[in-house]
PDB file of all heavy atoms in Angstrom:
ATOM      1  N   GLY A 127      -7.171  -3.884  12.224  1.00 82.00           N
ATOM      2  CA  GLY A 127      -7.610  -2.464  12.492  1.00 82.00           C
ATOM      3  C   GLY A 127      -7.345  -2.088  13.958  1.00 82.00           C
ATOM      4  O   GLY A 127      -7.508  -2.942  14.858  1.00 82.00           O
ATOM      5  N   LYS A 128      -6.959  -0.853  14.074  1.00 79.00           N
ATOM      6  CA  LYS A 128      -6.676  -0.355  15.484  1.00 79.00           C
ATOM      7  C   LYS A 128      -7.926   0.306  16.001  1.00 79.00           C
ATOM      8  O   LYS A 128      -8.670   0.940  15.379  1.00 79.00           O
ATOM      9  CB  LYS A 128      -5.590   0.673  15.437  1.00 79.00           C
ATOM     10  CG  LYS A 128      -4.203   0.223  15.255  1.00 79.00           C
ATOM     11  CD  LYS A 128      -3.212   1.363  15.364  1.00 79.00           C
ATOM     12  CE  LYS A 128      -1.790   0.935  15.096  1.00 79.00           C
ATOM     13  NZ  LYS A 128      -0.848   2.026  15.150  1.00 79.00           N
ATOM     14  N   GLN A 129      -8.046   0.171  17.320  1.00 80.00           N
ATOM     15  CA  GLN A 129      -9.154   0.935  18.063  1.00 80.00           C
ATOM     16  C   GLN A 129      -8.590   2.318  18.386  1.00 80.00           C
ATOM     17  O   GLN A 129      -7.448   2.580  18.299  1.00 80.00           O
ATOM     18  CB  GLN A 129      -9.539   0.189  19.372  1.00 80.00           C
ATOM     19  CG  GLN A 129      -9.888  -1.231  19.169  1.00 80.00           C
ATOM     20  CD  GLN A 129     -11.238  -1.280  18.481  1.00 80.00           C
ATOM     21  OE1 GLN A 129     -12.117  -0.498  18.641  1.00 80.00           O
ATOM     22  NE2 GLN A 129     -11.432  -2.342  17.655  1.00 80.00           N
ATOM     23  N   ALA A 130      -9.468   3.216  18.808  1.00 77.00           N
ATOM     24  CA  ALA A 130      -9.094   4.562  19.090  1.00 77.00           C
ATOM     25  C   ALA A 130      -8.097   4.616  20.200  1.00 77.00           C
ATOM     26  O   ALA A 130      -7.126   5.422  20.174  1.00 77.00           O
ATOM     27  CB  ALA A 130     -10.369   5.367  19.420  1.00 77.00           C
ATOM     28  N   HIS A 131      -8.226   3.738  21.213  1.00 77.00           N
ATOM     29  CA  HIS A 131      -7.303   3.825  22.368  1.00 77.00           C
ATOM     30  C   HIS A 131      -5.898   3.365  21.942  1.00 77.00           C
ATOM     31  O   HIS A 131      -4.927   3.816  22.455  1.00 77.00           O
ATOM     32  CB  HIS A 131      -7.789   3.091  23.574  1.00 77.00           C
ATOM     33  CG  HIS A 131      -8.134   1.638  23.293  1.00 77.00           C
ATOM     34  ND1 HIS A 131      -7.150   0.655  23.440  1.00 77.00           N
ATOM     35  CD2 HIS A 131      -9.194   0.965  22.833  1.00 77.00           C
ATOM     36  CE1 HIS A 131      -7.639  -0.569  23.146  1.00 77.00           C
ATOM     37  NE2 HIS A 131      -8.888  -0.398  22.866  1.00 77.00           N
ATOM     38  N   ASP A 132      -5.859   2.398  20.966  1.00 75.00           N
ATOM     39  CA  ASP A 132      -4.561   1.958  20.439  1.00 75.00           C
ATOM     40  C   ASP A 132      -3.887   3.124  19.768  1.00 75.00           C
ATOM     41  O   ASP A 132      -2.618   3.226  19.873  1.00 75.00           O
ATOM     42  CB  ASP A 132      -4.737   0.758  19.503  1.00 75.00           C
ATOM     43  CG  ASP A 132      -5.217  -0.396  20.182  1.00 75.00           C
ATOM     44  OD1 ASP A 132      -4.958  -0.546  21.438  1.00 75.00           O
ATOM     45  OD2 ASP A 132      -5.862  -1.330  19.532  1.00 75.00           O
ATOM     46  N   LYS A 133      -4.557   3.885  18.968  1.00 79.00           N
ATOM     47  CA  LYS A 133      -4.010   4.992  18.222  1.00 79.00           C
ATOM     48  C   LYS A 133      -3.490   6.031  19.199  1.00 79.00           C
ATOM     49  O   LYS A 133      -2.375   6.601  19.044  1.00 79.00           O
ATOM     50  CB  LYS A 133      -5.020   5.681  17.362  1.00 79.00           C
ATOM     51  CG  LYS A 133      -5.526   4.782  16.211  1.00 79.00           C
ATOM     52  CD  LYS A 133      -6.527   5.468  15.423  1.00 79.00           C
ATOM     53  CE  LYS A 133      -7.277   4.530  14.414  1.00 79.00           C
ATOM     54  NZ  LYS A 133      -8.274   5.134  13.656  1.00 79.00           N
ATOM     55  N   ARG A 134      -4.250   6.321  20.292  1.00 87.00           N
ATOM     56  CA  ARG A 134      -3.847   7.290  21.308  1.00 87.00           C
ATOM     57  C   ARG A 134      -2.541   6.839  22.007  1.00 87.00           C
ATOM     58  O   ARG A 134      -1.643   7.597  22.347  1.00 87.00           O
ATOM     59  CB  ARG A 134      -4.956   7.581  22.323  1.00 87.00           C
ATOM     60  CG  ARG A 134      -6.066   8.375  21.768  1.00 87.00           C
ATOM     61  CD  ARG A 134      -6.976   8.905  22.902  1.00 87.00           C
ATOM     62  NE  ARG A 134      -7.572   7.796  23.643  1.00 87.00           N
ATOM     63  CZ  ARG A 134      -8.779   7.344  23.335  1.00 87.00           C
ATOM     64  NH1 ARG A 134      -9.425   7.760  22.300  1.00 87.00           N
ATOM     65  NH2 ARG A 134      -9.326   6.308  24.027  1.00 87.00           N
ATOM     66  N   HIS A 135      -2.510   5.472  22.326  1.00 84.00           N
ATOM     67  CA  HIS A 135      -1.302   4.911  22.948  1.00 84.00           C
ATOM     68  C   HIS A 135      -0.081   5.105  22.020  1.00 84.00           C
ATOM     69  O   HIS A 135       0.969   5.437  22.516  1.00 84.00           O
ATOM     70  CB  HIS A 135      -1.577   3.419  23.188  1.00 84.00           C
ATOM     71  CG  HIS A 135      -0.460   2.704  23.879  1.00 84.00           C
ATOM     72  ND1 HIS A 135      -0.022   2.951  25.138  1.00 84.00           N
ATOM     73  CD2 HIS A 135       0.374   1.805  23.366  1.00 84.00           C
ATOM     74  CE1 HIS A 135       1.057   2.209  25.438  1.00 84.00           C
ATOM     75  NE2 HIS A 135       1.304   1.514  24.380  1.00 84.00           N
ATOM     76  N   ASP A 136      -0.266   4.849  20.756  1.00 83.00           N
ATOM     77  CA  ASP A 136       0.875   4.942  19.818  1.00 83.00           C
ATOM     78  C   ASP A 136       1.354   6.381  19.706  1.00 83.00           C
ATOM     79  O   ASP A 136       2.616   6.691  19.727  1.00 83.00           O
ATOM     80  CB  ASP A 136       0.535   4.511  18.420  1.00 83.00           C
ATOM     81  CG  ASP A 136       0.457   2.945  18.351  1.00 83.00           C
ATOM     82  OD1 ASP A 136       0.827   2.327  19.263  1.00 83.00           O
ATOM     83  OD2 ASP A 136      -0.021   2.467  17.295  1.00 83.00           O
ATOM     84  N   ILE A 137       0.462   7.297  19.706  1.00 86.00           N
ATOM     85  CA  ILE A 137       0.814   8.677  19.704  1.00 86.00           C
ATOM     86  C   ILE A 137       1.494   9.175  20.978  1.00 86.00           C
ATOM     87  O   ILE A 137       2.506   9.838  20.887  1.00 86.00           O
ATOM     88  CB  ILE A 137      -0.475   9.663  19.402  1.00 86.00           C
ATOM     89  CG1 ILE A 137      -1.019   9.405  18.001  1.00 86.00           C
ATOM     90  CG2 ILE A 137      -0.127  11.113  19.644  1.00 86.00           C
ATOM     91  CD1 ILE A 137      -2.334  10.000  17.820  1.00 86.00           C
ATOM     92  N   ALA A 138       1.090   8.717  22.105  1.00 89.00           N
ATOM     93  CA  ALA A 138       1.758   8.978  23.373  1.00 89.00           C
ATOM     94  C   ALA A 138       3.123   8.414  23.410  1.00 89.00           C
ATOM     95  O   ALA A 138       4.089   9.108  23.889  1.00 89.00           O
ATOM     96  CB  ALA A 138       0.889   8.489  24.588  1.00 89.00           C
ATOM     97  N   LYS A 139       3.279   7.239  22.905  1.00 88.00           N
ATOM     98  CA  LYS A 139       4.528   6.508  22.929  1.00 88.00           C
ATOM     99  C   LYS A 139       5.558   7.285  22.016  1.00 88.00           C
ATOM    100  O   LYS A 139       6.726   7.539  22.364  1.00 88.00           O
ATOM    101  CB  LYS A 139       4.420   5.133  22.470  1.00 88.00           C
ATOM    102  CG  LYS A 139       5.652   4.168  22.671  1.00 88.00           C
ATOM    103  CD  LYS A 139       5.411   2.740  22.590  1.00 88.00           C
ATOM    104  CE  LYS A 139       4.481   2.274  21.515  1.00 88.00           C
ATOM    105  NZ  LYS A 139       4.510   0.862  21.320  1.00 88.00           N
ATOM    106  N   ARG A 140       5.078   7.688  20.853  1.00 89.00           N
ATOM    107  CA  ARG A 140       5.872   8.495  19.870  1.00 89.00           C
ATOM    108  C   ARG A 140       6.332   9.861  20.462  1.00 89.00           C
ATOM    109  O   ARG A 140       7.527  10.222  20.345  1.00 89.00           O
ATOM    110  CB  ARG A 140       5.174   8.709  18.587  1.00 89.00           C
ATOM    111  CG  ARG A 140       5.977   8.968  17.399  1.00 89.00           C
ATOM    112  CD  ARG A 140       5.203   8.844  16.092  1.00 89.00           C
ATOM    113  NE  ARG A 140       3.937   9.343  16.065  1.00 89.00           N
ATOM    114  CZ  ARG A 140       2.795   8.612  15.805  1.00 89.00           C
ATOM    115  NH1 ARG A 140       2.860   7.402  15.402  1.00 89.00           N
ATOM    116  NH2 ARG A 140       1.593   9.289  15.748  1.00 89.00           N
ATOM    117  N   THR A 141       5.388  10.479  21.159  1.00 91.00           N
ATOM    118  CA  THR A 141       5.707  11.767  21.800  1.00 91.00           C
ATOM    119  C   THR A 141       6.821  11.572  22.879  1.00 91.00           C
ATOM    120  O   THR A 141       7.725  12.370  22.999  1.00 91.00           O
ATOM    121  CB  THR A 141       4.469  12.387  22.417  1.00 91.00           C
ATOM    122  OG1 THR A 141       3.501  12.502  21.318  1.00 91.00           O
ATOM    123  CG2 THR A 141       4.753  13.756  22.907  1.00 91.00           C
ATOM    124  N   ALA A 142       6.642  10.520  23.671  1.00 91.00           N
ATOM    125  CA  ALA A 142       7.565  10.284  24.749  1.00 91.00           C
ATOM    126  C   ALA A 142       8.990   9.968  24.241  1.00 91.00           C
ATOM    127  O   ALA A 142       9.964  10.408  24.724  1.00 91.00           O
ATOM    128  CB  ALA A 142       7.109   9.108  25.644  1.00 91.00           C
ATOM    129  N   GLN A 143       8.982   9.138  23.122  1.00 91.00           N
ATOM    130  CA  GLN A 143      10.245   8.881  22.514  1.00 91.00           C
ATOM    131  C   GLN A 143      10.953  10.194  21.974  1.00 91.00           C
ATOM    132  O   GLN A 143      12.150  10.313  22.141  1.00 91.00           O
ATOM    133  CB  GLN A 143      10.069   7.812  21.386  1.00 91.00           C
ATOM    134  CG  GLN A 143      11.410   7.447  20.665  1.00 91.00           C
ATOM    135  CD  GLN A 143      12.339   6.829  21.646  1.00 91.00           C
ATOM    136  OE1 GLN A 143      11.913   6.060  22.503  1.00 91.00           O
ATOM    137  NE2 GLN A 143      13.562   6.907  21.324  1.00 91.00           N
TER     138      GLN A 143
END
Side-chain angles (χ1 to χ4, degrees):
K128 283 186 184 176
Q129 302 292 324
H131 60 86
D132 293 334
K133 293 178 191 177
R134 286 193 299 269
H135 178 71
D136 287 348
I137 291 169
K139 193 165 38 171
R140 199 166 44 236
T141 305
Q143 182 63 30

